[in-house]
């Protein structure tokens, strides 16, 4: 089994496409969502808990109370990030991933991919996430780091888009 883990905040408008892509498009077995500010994300929480995602989406309301209750102070990275956890999303992401690893071990998930709420995983053409990670297994790979490709508009691209719209 394979899964995606993502820390979410204010993702109500894009969460549906995020889930549809990773579960139905790319073919992941599970998605683990950690809502960084659940009190601000009621719509996204309701969407993530919709019956259509039952058994495939795990939702954690990862606020301060959750981190205390779930024993984040016992996670391996806690001593490295405890001073910055309230200020830096990267610290919370790191801890959420470590917490998620515990859930994955219990659920039999073999591969876990961490991505941001505004990112997507795109396997090779015609390949599902399952086939992608099975290929790693057959090669004896147990960890892989992907290069993150960011799309950044440029002044030239903006001018080209304006010219196309005028034509």
């Amino acid at each position: 089994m394979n899964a995606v883990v993502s820390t979410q905040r204010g993702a109500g408008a894009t969460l549906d496409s995020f889930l549809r892509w990773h579960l139905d498009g790319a073919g992941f077995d599970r998605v683990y969502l950690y809502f960084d500010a659940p009190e601000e994300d009621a719509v996204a929480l309701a969407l993530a808990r919709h019956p259509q995602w039952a058994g495939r989406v795990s939702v954690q309301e990862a606020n301060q109370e959750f981190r205390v209750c779930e024993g984040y102070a016992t996670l391996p990275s806690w001593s490295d990030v405890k001073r910055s956890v309230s200020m830096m999303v990267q610290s919370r992401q790191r801890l959420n991933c470590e917490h998620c690893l515990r859930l994955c071990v219990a659920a039999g998930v073999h591969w876990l991919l961490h991505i941001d709420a505004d990112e997507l995983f795109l396997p090779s053409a015609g390949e599902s996430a399952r086939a992608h990670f099975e290929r790693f297994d057959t090669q004896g790979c147990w960890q892989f780091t992907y290069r993150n490709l960011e799309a950044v508009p440029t002044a030239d691209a903006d001018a080209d888009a304006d010219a196309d719209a005028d034509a």
Side-chain angles (χ1 to χ4, degrees):
M1 264 189 14
N2 57 65
V4 170
V5 59
S6 184
T7 299
Q8 303 277 317
R9 186 176 196 147
T14 59
L15 184 59
D16 185 59
S17 62
F18 180 90
L19 292 174
R20 286 183 190 281
W21 170 253
H22 289 99
L23 292 167
D24 299 332
F28 280 88
D29 297 308
R30 295 207 43 135
V31 173
Y32 293 87
L33 299 174
Y34 286 75
F35 284 89
D36 209 25
E39 64 283 352
E40 299 170 15
D41 279 326
V43 172
L45 279 165
L47 174 67
R49 290 181 170 135
H50 192 277
Q52 74 184 17
W53 306 122
R56 300 195 305 159
V57 175
S58 175
V59 177
Q60 309 297 331
E61 294 186 36
N63 54 18
Q64 174 63 26
E65 182 180 326
F66 173 84
R67 290 191 294 271
V68 170
C69 181
E70 289 294 309
Y72 272 40
T74 66
L75 294 172
S77 294
W78 179 254
S79 62
D80 295 338
V81 301
K82 66 182 173 186
R83 289 190 181 112
S84 62
V85 74
S86 65
M87 300 168 291
M88 296 183 61
V89 68
Q90 295 88 349
S91 297
R92 293 188 300 279
Q93 287 173 326
R94 186 172 170 182
L95 293 170
N96 291 342
C97 285
E98 289 178 3
H99 179 268
C100 189
L101 283 171
R102 291 178 176 175
L103 301 177
C104 287
V105 167
V109 173
H110 186 71
W111 285 96
L112 179 64
L113 174 72
H114 170 266
I115 57 175
D116 290 345
D118 64 344
E119 297 172 344
L120 63 85
F121 177 77
L122 184 62
S124 299
E127 183 178 59
S128 68
R130 178 173 283 127
H132 177 81
F133 293 113
E134 283 175 355
R135 191 162 32 93
F136 283 167
D137 286 335
T138 62
Q139 296 173 357
C141 180
W142 58 273
Q143 179 177 334
F144 193 84
T145 302
Y146 296 92
R147 199 169 101 206
N148 186 1
L149 302 174
E150 297 282 344
V152 180
T154 64
D156 292 340
D158 292 340
D160 291 342
D162 290 342
D164 289 343
D166 292 338

